[in-house]
Amino acid sequence: MTDAVRRIRRQWPRGLVVFAALGAAIIAIPLLALLVRVPWSGLVDAATSEVVRDALLISLVTSLAAAVVSIVLGVPLAWVLARTDAPGRGVLRALVTLPMILPPVVGGAALLFAFGRRGVLGEWLEQSTGLVLPFSIWGVILANTFVALPFLVITVEGGLVAAGTRREEAAATLGATPWHVFRRVTLPSVAPAIRAGAILAWARAFGEFGATITFAGNLPGRTQTLPLAVFVSLDADRDAAIAISLIMVVVSFVILLTLRDRWWSGSAR
């Protein structure tokens, strides 16, 4: 790092600092308000209740499963968008990213119309395999994947674009097959992007609410995730809602903080 760069980093423009502080305050103040309202005396009982334990387990299992499915399906999809001249790529990219701006309840309704018992594919799926997605943990995973997949796709596509094609072209010139190039050159070059995208996908799935409650319902012990438990507790037990919210904040913050230095720092330099 040169002296000029060090000097620039030490001399902070006041206007930027003010706006940065305001941006941080928008996020920090609500979280601090949550901490202020935490019922510390009854926190352990609320956090270890059967409802919270079940909701936490369901949230972790379904969000991790959604992240894995997003990797399996999203990496090839990002590769198609970044590395091929397939017709309609612009339409495909818009379709893939649509769940990012679509109201989650609308996404849940669309899933219901598609995979519900009387849906376009749901009736056939039940008759062929006996699998019923709505109001099941598989439905939670599908809803989570629906909203999380775009985050991985756009992250990995950005990594592919930034990595360029020079190494892939060199490997192909030396006689490597397309599959070998993908496995041994492409994937290692975008590994940080895949990891970052997986984290974003997991985080989005972990906090999903609208699509889940619309498509999979809110059945305690079966489909009730932590966000759904918070929603129910806001009316029935405000202290429990605060305790569950604190658990979500702590789990999310610890995991993101732990993984950031390992997976994101290299790309941030």
Side-chain angles (χ1 to χ4, degrees), residues 31-66:
L31 296 178
L32 291 175
L34 176 64
L35 291 176
V36 171
R37 297 294 301 274
V38 170
W40 298 106
S41 59
L43 181 62
V44 175
D45 293 336
T48 56
S49 66
E50 183 178 358
V51 172
V52 174
R53 291 199 309 268
D54 290 343
L56 176 59
L57 179 61
I58 292 172
S59 290
L60 290 176
V61 170
T62 55
S63 61
L64 289 173

Side-chain angles (χ1 to χ4, degrees), residues 44-267:
V44 175
D45 293 336
T48 56
S49 66
E50 183 178 358
V51 172
V52 174
R53 291 199 309 268
D54 290 343
L56 176 59
L57 179 61
I58 292 172
S59 290
L60 290 176
V61 170
T62 55
S63 61
L64 289 173
V68 172
V69 175
S70 296
I71 293 173
V72 173
L73 302 180
V75 172
L77 186 52
W79 180 86
V80 169
L81 293 174
R83 288 289 189 267
T84 70
D85 295 324
R89 280 191 308 158
V91 176
L92 179 60
R93 184 179 291 107
L95 179 66
V96 170
T97 56
L98 184 60
M100 297 181 68
I101 61 174
L102 196 68
V105 174
V106 176
L111 289 171
L112 197 60
F113 296 144
F115 298 103
R117 286 193 166 185
R118 297 183 180 275
V120 176
L121 296 176
E123 186 174 1
W124 170 85
L125 189 64
E126 182 179 0
Q127 293 175 352
S128 302
T129 65
L131 180 62
V132 179
L133 291 175
F135 306 102
S136 70
I137 194 169
W138 301 109
V140 179
I141 294 173
L142 178 59
N144 286 348
T145 303
F146 179 81
V147 299
L149 180 62
F151 289 85
L152 184 130
V153 172
I154 62 171
T155 304
V156 175
E157 184 187 2
L160 286 167
V161 172
T165 60
R166 184 174 58 182
R167 294 180 180 178
E168 296 170 353
E169 292 170 354
T173 301
L174 294 174
T177 64
W179 178 245
H180 186 83
V181 171
F182 178 75
R183 261 192 328 114
R184 303 300 295 270
V185 180
T186 306
L187 285 181
S189 67
V190 295
I194 295 175
R195 293 163 184 160
I199 295 174
L200 291 175
W202 169 82
R204 180 64 184 86
F206 187 69
E208 169 52 29
F209 174 82
T212 301
I213 196 172
T214 306
F215 181 62
N218 184 23
L219 306 177
R222 289 182 57 189
T223 65
Q224 187 179 79
T225 59
L226 283 178
L228 301 183
V230 172
F231 177 74
V232 173
S233 300
L234 281 174
D235 289 331
D237 189 347
R238 184 64 61 90
D239 289 345
I242 296 174
I244 299 172
S245 299
L246 180 63
I247 292 173
M248 292 198 65
V249 171
V250 171
V251 170
S252 302
F253 184 78
V254 169
I255 291 179
L256 293 177
L257 187 64
T258 301
L259 297 181
R260 181 192 180 280
D261 289 337
R262 180 179 301 177
W263 287 354
W264 288 349
S265 59
S267 59

